[in-house]
Amino acid sequence: ARALGWTDAYGLSKALGERALVAEPLASLTIIRPSIIESALRTPFPGWIEGLKVADPVILAYGSGMISRFPGNPSARLDLVPVDLVANACLAAAAHPPDRSPRVLNLTSGSRNPLTISEISGLVTEYYRERPLPGEDGLPIEVSDWRFSSSASALRAIDRGERGVRAARRVLDRVAVPRVDDVERRLHKEQRRLERLRLLADIYGPYVELDCMFDDRNARELRDALHPEDRVAFDFDTAATDWASYLGDVHLPALRAFVPAPRPPVARDARSHGGEIAAGPPALAIFDVEGVVLDATVAHFYAWLRGRGMPALDRAVWLAGLATRVPGFLVADRRSRADFNRSFYQQYRGLPVGELRDHAQAALSDFILPRLRHDAVRRIRAHRARGDRVILITGALDFLVEPLRHLADELIAARLTERRGAFTGELAEPPLSADGRASVAARLAAEHEVDLAACHAYGDSISDLPLLELVGHPHAINPDFRLAREARRRRWPVLEWGVEPGAGNRPAGRLEEAAV
């Protein structure tokens, strides 16, 4: 369409339709060309509208705080016409056939009642400052001044912003950043804002950069020819519209119906929204241990195990050295949980098997219980009570998580190879990747002859996504930002489970927590 000189395919299709009709030997033909049609002025009621029209996505994006800069000419006319005036003009034209055919009626406002881009932006800004839209957190959104620039300038600014987001994401993949979920959430919102702005600029930019004034003489002649009563009942005089009143009291309030309500807060425990176990036949209930059943990672296990037998001073020095490697661990984990586990367990190379297994005897009281999520335990018991087979999957070493075995029907854990009484640092089986966990679930469902659609799964990170996608009842527990985004998009339950109050204040493990 643009190669032929049109702003979009919509306008081109209308022109082709007109040409096809003009080419036909029609006795009577009236072509009505309205400008930008917006909500009703009076009929069937002020503000009546079906879907968002041309100017509306830009207006709502501004009111939502997504855009403050847009390509456009502030002095150009934005030619609006309420939809009921268009309907009245169609009825009047049908009731009064033309003397000569074809007849073209431009139903527009720009020649006699112009509204400039600058004027409409001022009215919109004033409206949203007096009656702001609610944000995702339910708080009012503060809008900035609406600025206009050329398309080239606006697109350059978008390009710079997108390059900045890509650079920041590359940094996140290479460097451990504090509160990475918060950083990633802000980057995601900025990326969405830039994508929305580029789309809006591409689609609607031409409408606010060209200054066109249409000849509406034929429409005025038709209106003058109407009976005085019809002129009132079927009014389509665009010159009589008070734009400030129309926008502030009619159109902008109508657009609020298209603003999604703020999301309810995330459920806080297993008994709130999304917390009930869905009805159905007994099946599998699969729990990721780290982050779901335990508030711990494989690195926490290692720090506790290695530091337990050291004198206090030696342990503090060793943990300080371990802390310097934590950023590298975090970056590796973001890239691939399986690769992280494979490389991390090299830390065990050469360590004595018997000594570590002896230390692990205290894991239940010193390490596991203080970090156990009791909401998870309650949920596991509920699943077993209804006849489900409970599976615990963990990347932690088998002898460290052995105390959890009694909770489940099956415990799938990592296992290190041994040689001459020492660990080699190599895993006996390949670590379970994201897809690997889903494969295990599919295999277990087949072995126990249960339908995956009836199974339940609980995960906390984006690496659990393939597993959660596979089952019929997925649950995101304390999810990282990427999993939380997917869970909300797919309308999965999102729950927050915590340890019992005061559990995190027990003396054991404070140095380990500081290091990892």
Side-chain angles (χ1 to χ4, degrees):
R2 291 183 178 176
L4 296 174
W6 298 88
T7 58
D8 50 46
Y10 175 74
L12 174 60
S13 68
K14 285 184 170 292
L16 293 174
E18 287 187 11
R19 292 188 182 189
L21 289 170
V22 170
E24 293 293 320
L26 300 174
S28 175
L29 173 62
T30 296
I31 296 172
I32 299 179
R33 295 174 180 166
S35 55
I36 299 174
I37 302 175
E38 293 293 357
S39 62
L41 181 63
R42 288 181 289 268
T43 306
F45 55 82
W48 178 88
I49 189 173
E50 285 189 341
L52 299 178
K53 307 307 176 187
V54 173
D56 303 336
V58 180
I59 291 173
L60 285 178
Y62 169 74
S64 300
M66 296 190 71
I67 65 172
S68 60
R69 183 174 183 171
F70 199 73
N73 178 3
S75 62
R77 298 172 180 83
L78 190 66
D79 204 307
L80 306 181
V81 56
V83 64
D84 49 344
L85 273 59
V86 179
N88 289 342
C90 291
L91 292 170
H96 295 78
D99 296 331
R100 59 190 183 279
S101 185
R103 173 180 61 178
V104 177
L105 304 180
N106 290 326
L107 192 62
T108 58
S109 60
S111 62
R112 294 184 298 131
N113 189 13
L115 179 66
T116 66
I117 299 294
S118 177
E119 290 170 335
I120 192 172
S121 64
L123 292 170
V124 170
T125 298
E126 180 182 354
Y127 175 82
Y128 283 122
R129 283 180 176 170
E130 292 180 355
R131 286 167 280 184
L133 296 176
E136 293 181 353
D137 53 5
L139 299 176
I141 296 172
E142 183 178 352
V143 296
S144 58
D145 290 335
W146 200 338
R147 297 175 295 155
F148 293 93
S149 60
S150 67
S151 290
S153 176
L155 291 175
R156 283 196 299 270
I158 295 172
D159 288 339
R160 288 194 299 270
E162 289 177 336
R163 287 197 299 270
V165 170
R166 288 194 295 269
R169 289 193 182 280
R170 287 195 296 271
V171 170
L172 287 184
D173 288 338
R174 291 170 171 81
V175 179
V177 176
R179 302 181 65 86
V180 65
D181 273 2
D182 292 340
V183 175
E184 195 159 0
R185 183 178 294 106
R186 290 197 296 270
L187 287 176
H188 175 68
K189 291 179 68 174
E190 180 63 12
Q191 182 177 349
R192 282 179 52 207
R193 187 187 73 83
L194 292 169
E195 289 173 350
R196 181 74 176 274
L197 180 54
R198 183 181 291 279
L199 180 64
L200 292 175
D202 186 51
I203 296 175
Y204 302 113
Y207 290 94
V208 292
E209 286 194 295
L210 296 176
D211 191 9
C212 298
M213 184 171 66
F214 303 97
D215 185 350
D216 67 344
R217 281 178 294 177
N218 290 345
R220 283 186 278 126
E221 289 176 3
L222 174 61
R223 182 177 180 277
D224 292 341
L226 296 180
H227 186 279
E229 292 182 2
D230 287 343
R231 200 177 302 155
V232 174
F234 301 98
D235 177 45
F236 55 89
D237 183 11
T238 57
T241 304
D242 181 339
W243 293 121
S245 175
Y246 171 74
L247 288 169
D249 300 330
V250 176
H251 185 61
L252 295 178
L255 294 185
R256 300 182 82 93
F258 297 93
V259 178
R263 289 193 181 105
V266 174
R268 301 302 299 182
D269 60 42
R271 295 171 295 281
S272 51
H273 173 67
E276 299 299 328
I277 298 177
L284 303 180
I286 305 168
F287 290 78
D288 180 17
V289 172
E290 292 88 357
V292 175
V293 179
L294 289 181
D295 182 18
T297 67
V298 296
H300 289 112
F301 273 106
Y302 173 72
W304 172 81
L305 183 63
R306 286 295 317 278
R308 188 171 183 275
M310 296 182 184
L313 182 59
D314 292 346
R315 184 168 75 242
V317 172
W318 178 80
L319 287 172
L322 178 64
T324 63
R325 286 177 283 168
V326 167
F329 296 155
L330 295 174
V331 171
D333 187 50
R334 280 176 56 82
R335 290 177 176 171
S336 169
R337 177 66 56 84
D339 289 347
F340 162 73
N341 284 346
R342 185 183 289 108
S343 62
F344 182 81
Y345 280 126
Q346 292 297 315
Q347 308 294 321
Y348 284 83
R349 182 187 301 172
L351 298 181
V353 174
E355 181 181 331
L356 294 189
R357 289 185 181 276
D358 288 342
H359 287 318
Q361 298 299 316
L364 178 62
S365 59
D366 288 2
F367 185 85
I368 291 177
L369 288 179
R371 294 166 177 81
L372 191 65
R373 299 191 189 278
H374 290 259
D375 288 319
V377 175
R378 283 189 282 267
R379 178 56 63 93
I380 288 171
R381 288 173 176 166
H383 275 293
R384 299 192 76 171
R386 70 185 294 273
D388 293 327
R389 183 174 181 83
V390 174
I391 313 295
L392 299 183
I393 297 181
T394 175
L397 295 177
D398 52 354
F399 64 89
L400 286 171
V401 294
E402 184 63 27
L404 295 175
R405 186 176 294 277
H406 74 283
L407 288 176
D409 298 285
E410 190 168 348
L411 173 65
I412 300 173
R415 186 167 58 88
L416 289 174
T417 58
E418 304 172 16
R419 185 178 298 125
R420 301 189 190 91
F423 289 118
T424 66
E426 301 293 334
L427 289 165
E429 297 89 17
L432 287 179
S433 63
D435 291 329
R437 294 185 176 210
S439 297
V440 167
R443 174 179 60 80
L444 291 172
E447 289 178 358
H448 297 284
E449 299 181 344
V450 296
D451 186 356
L452 281 167
C455 295
H456 304 252
Y458 300 81
D460 72 304
S461 78
I462 195 65
S463 62
D464 296 314
L465 183 60
L467 170 63
L468 298 176
E469 288 177 322
L470 187 67
V471 301
H473 304 290
H475 298 263
I477 310 299
N478 303 349
D480 62 22
F481 169 70
R482 289 177 290 178
L483 179 60
R485 184 178 67 200
E486 284 298 314
R488 290 191 173 95
R489 184 174 69 83
R490 300 166 190 243
R491 300 184 182 277
W492 293 344
V494 178
L495 307 175
E496 286 194 12
W497 291 350
V499 297
E500 290 297 298
N505 295 324
R506 298 186 187 186
R510 283 184 181 174
L511 285 172
E512 288 82 355
E513 290 293 337
V516 186

